[in-house]
């Protein structure tokens, strides 16, 4: 089981964004690779803290995590929160949080924030919305979407930045009451990459980028929920620089309302209407499910309000804990108008003992049925 994000950072659910940020900075500095060289356990805790902060610092992700826990991000075939972040991802996204705790640099990571080294740029993320039917959600689906993204133009070349001489950092010496202090910060000319454009084709922008359409295949696992966001790594915008990495494609799930089935978590609900005659004599009915129709048998004398549970006919769990159920709600439809012959029949039945309501103990009340549904 994955450790709770709040527990990782040492905060509770009521923590403010500033308290969450402060707690992350404390953990990140404690387990920073520069302070724990060669310590794999510290490196893992450093990554876990970054993963926790990525979710809890984002209001939307935090809300989904509070509601669904790790299921909001895990089990999604590489999609979700920051569980697959590497050191470059962490430093590029959260490097500013460390401040000057490590002299403005982060050592030991090729292509990342090396001590006085180049900064590896990451492109911006793209966001799209994908609509899914209940059938697609229940069975998982692969969607192909066309994405317009920025990519480096063919033929663009880079050269060493003259301001920082390729280091990606500029040094500044300040006189203080404690003496001369030296600090470093990312180079403003090259944004810390150590490179600037040498030449570019005419159709490229000032950063050597062009817009391009790309068809992206998205494998969506069964069991996703409305509002959940999945991540396709590396399918966002490119960033300038020879050693840059592309951003990610964030996919927001939108659930299309089903005509007959209503979703409640992993369970589905179906309203079945039958006539008085069908209720009295018994019948068979075809029921819509997310995997086609199934036929169910209704015994004679079935009562309105009865709930039939079809095990495993609901939505699969995102964490592979099985599937929910399909709950069929039986509703006996009373005719609103009767002809003369029909009226005469029911008038005769008014005094018929067999038509007098005689509920048994096994016939649960509406409130008992609702209680059973949620227990």
């Amino acid at each position: 089981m994955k450790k709770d994000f709040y527990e990782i950072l040492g905060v509770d659910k009521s923590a403010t964004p500033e308290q969450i940020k402060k707690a992350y900075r404390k953990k990140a500095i404690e387990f920073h690779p520069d302070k724990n060289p060669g310590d794999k356990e510290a490196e893992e805790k450093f990554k876990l803290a970054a993963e926790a902060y990525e979710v809890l610092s984002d209001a939307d992700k935090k809300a989904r995590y509070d509601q669904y826990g790790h299921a909001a991000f895990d089990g999604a075939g590489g999609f979700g929160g920051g569980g697959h972040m590497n050191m470059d991802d962490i430093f590029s996204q959260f490097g500013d949080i460390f401040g000057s705790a490590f002299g403005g640099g982060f050592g030991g990571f090729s292509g990342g924030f090396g001590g006085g080294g180049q900064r590896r740029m990451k492109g911006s993320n793209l966001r799209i919305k994908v609509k899914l039917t209940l059938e697609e959600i229940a069975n998982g689906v692969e969607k192909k979407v066309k994405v317009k993204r920025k990519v480096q133009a063919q033929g663009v070349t880079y050269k060493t930045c003259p301001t920082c001489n390729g280091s990606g950092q500029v040094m500044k010496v300040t006189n203080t009451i404690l003496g001369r202090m030296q600090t470093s910060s990312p180079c403003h000319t090259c944004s810390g990459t150590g490179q600037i454009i040498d030449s570019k084709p005419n159709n490229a922008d000032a950063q050597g980028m062009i817009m391009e359409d790309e068809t992206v295949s998205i494998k969506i696992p069964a069991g996703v929920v409305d509002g959940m966001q999945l991540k396709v790594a590396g399918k966002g915008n490119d960033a300038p620089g020879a050693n840059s990495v592309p951003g990610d494609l964030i996919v927001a799930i939108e659930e299309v309302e089903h005509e007959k089935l209503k979703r409640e978590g992993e369970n589905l609900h179906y309203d079945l209407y039958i006539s008085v005659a069908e209720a009295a004599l018994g019948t068979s009915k075809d029921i819509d499910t997310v995997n086609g129709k199934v036929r169910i048998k209704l015994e004679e004398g079935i009562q309105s309000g009865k709930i039939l549970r079809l095990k495993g006919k609901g939505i699969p769990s995102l964490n592979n804990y099985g599937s929910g159920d399909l709950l069929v709600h039986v509703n006996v439809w009373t005719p609103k108008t009767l002809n003369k012959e029909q009226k005469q029949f029911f008038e005769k039945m008014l005094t018929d003992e067999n038509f007098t309501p005689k509920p048994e103990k096994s016939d649960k009340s509406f409130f008992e049925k609702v209680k059973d549904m949620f227990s």
Side-chain angles (χ1 to χ4, degrees):
M1 293 292 289
K2 292 191 69 171
K3 196 173 181 181
D4 181 76
F5 284 156
Y6 291 100
E7 186 179 343
I8 289 172
L9 296 184
V11 297
D12 54 38
K13 286 190 175 183
S14 62
T16 65
E18 188 58 37
Q19 289 172 327
I20 291 173
K21 183 176 181 180
K22 185 177 179 180
Y24 169 59
R25 185 176 189 275
K26 182 180 178 181
K27 292 288 184 183
I29 291 175
E30 179 184 354
F31 299 114
H32 195 285
D34 281 1
K35 290 187 67 175
N36 305 273
D39 189 336
K40 291 295 183 182
E41 185 178 350
E43 181 180 323
E44 186 61 30
K45 289 180 179 179
F46 182 76
K47 291 179 179 179
L48 285 174
E51 179 184 1
Y53 180 70
E54 187 203 21
V55 171
L56 300 185
S57 62
D58 183 294
D60 178 58
K61 290 182 180 180
K62 182 178 184 296
R64 287 185 285 116
Y65 178 74
D66 288 345
Q67 184 174 3
Y68 300 108
H70 291 297
F73 307 104
D74 292 348
F79 302 116
H84 302 277
M85 295 174 71
N86 57 35
M87 289 300 187
D88 288 336
D89 291 331
I90 296 169
F91 290 139
S92 63
Q93 291 185 43
F94 311 129
D96 60 320
I97 291 178
F98 302 104
S100 59
F102 294 89
F106 306 93
F109 295 96
S110 175
F113 283 79
Q118 295 178 354
R119 179 182 183 185
R120 191 175 186 185
M121 295 291 289
K122 183 175 182 179
S124 59
N125 292 340
L126 293 175
R127 296 178 182 275
I128 62 169
K129 185 177 289 186
V130 173
K131 294 184 177 182
L132 299 178
T133 64
L134 264 184
E135 288 81 3
E136 290 173 327
I137 289 174
N139 297 289
V141 66
E142 183 171 349
K143 290 279 187 178
K144 293 185 183 297
V145 298
K146 184 174 286 187
V147 178
K148 189 179 289 292
R149 53 191 294 258
K150 282 186 177 182
V151 297
Q152 288 190 21
Q154 287 283 346
V156 65
T157 59
Y158 298 88
K159 63 181 179 181
T160 301
C161 173
T163 303
C164 64
N165 293 319
S167 69
Q169 301 284 313
V170 290
M171 308 302 294
K172 183 178 180 181
V173 177
T174 306
N175 292 317
T176 71
I177 58 173
L178 300 176
R180 292 164 61 85
M181 295 192 67
Q182 180 175 285
T183 59
S184 64
S185 60
C187 175
H188 64 278
T189 302
C190 63
S191 301
T193 63
Q195 300 172 329
I196 59 173
I197 289 180
D198 183 28
S199 64
K200 63 182 181 66
N202 293 331
N203 63 332
D205 63 18
Q207 294 182 314
M209 314 293 284
I210 59 172
M211 295 299 295
E212 205 172 75
D213 289 333
E214 180 178 345
T215 300
V216 179
S217 180
I218 308 170
K219 291 183 179 179
I220 301 174
V224 294
V225 297
D226 186 76
M228 179 177 287
Q229 293 186 3
L230 312 179
K231 181 174 75 175
V232 185
K235 291 302 180 181
N237 288 321
D238 279 353
N243 297 316
S244 63
V245 292
D248 303 320
L249 177 63
I250 308 300
V251 183
I253 299 299
E254 182 178 338
E255 183 179 306
V256 178
E257 186 174 352
H258 195 278
E259 185 180 355
K260 296 181 179 179
L261 298 170
K262 301 297 180 184
R263 183 179 181 180
E264 180 195 31
E266 292 165 5
N267 291 331
L268 296 174
H269 297 267
Y270 182 96
D271 276 317
L272 175 63
Y273 289 89
I274 62 175
S275 68
V276 174
E278 288 173 323
L281 300 175
T283 187
S284 294
K285 288 287 183 179
D286 288 330
I287 302 297
D288 286 309
T289 75
V290 288
N291 292 306
K293 292 183 180 291
V294 297
R295 175 157 287 233
I296 62 172
K297 186 175 182 179
L298 306 178
E299 73 274 15
E300 61 182 51
I302 193 169
Q303 300 298 311
S304 185
K306 186 175 181 63
I307 300 174
L308 306 176
R309 184 183 294 268
L310 305 185
K311 297 285 288 183
K313 294 296 183 180
I315 301 295
S317 165
L318 193 59
N319 286 329
N320 299 317
Y321 293 146
S323 298
D325 303 327
L326 173 58
L327 303 171
V328 180
H329 301 259
V330 177
N331 302 278
V332 178
W333 182 262
T334 304
K336 296 181 179 180
T337 57
L338 299 172
N339 60 32
K340 184 177 179 181
E341 184 180 350
Q342 292 167 337
K343 279 188 176 181
Q344 289 176 345
F345 169 78
F346 282 108
E347 285 170 352
K348 289 180 181 179
M349 296 305 104
L350 286 174
T351 56
D352 191 298
E353 185 177 347
N354 199 39
F355 275 72
T356 302
K358 298 174 184 177
E360 300 175 355
K361 287 186 178 181
S362 59
D363 296 325
K364 296 182 179 180
S365 69
F366 170 78
F367 296 104
E368 288 174 321
K369 291 172 183 175
V370 172
K371 182 180 178 182
D372 286 347
M373 282 171 53
F374 291 98
S375 62

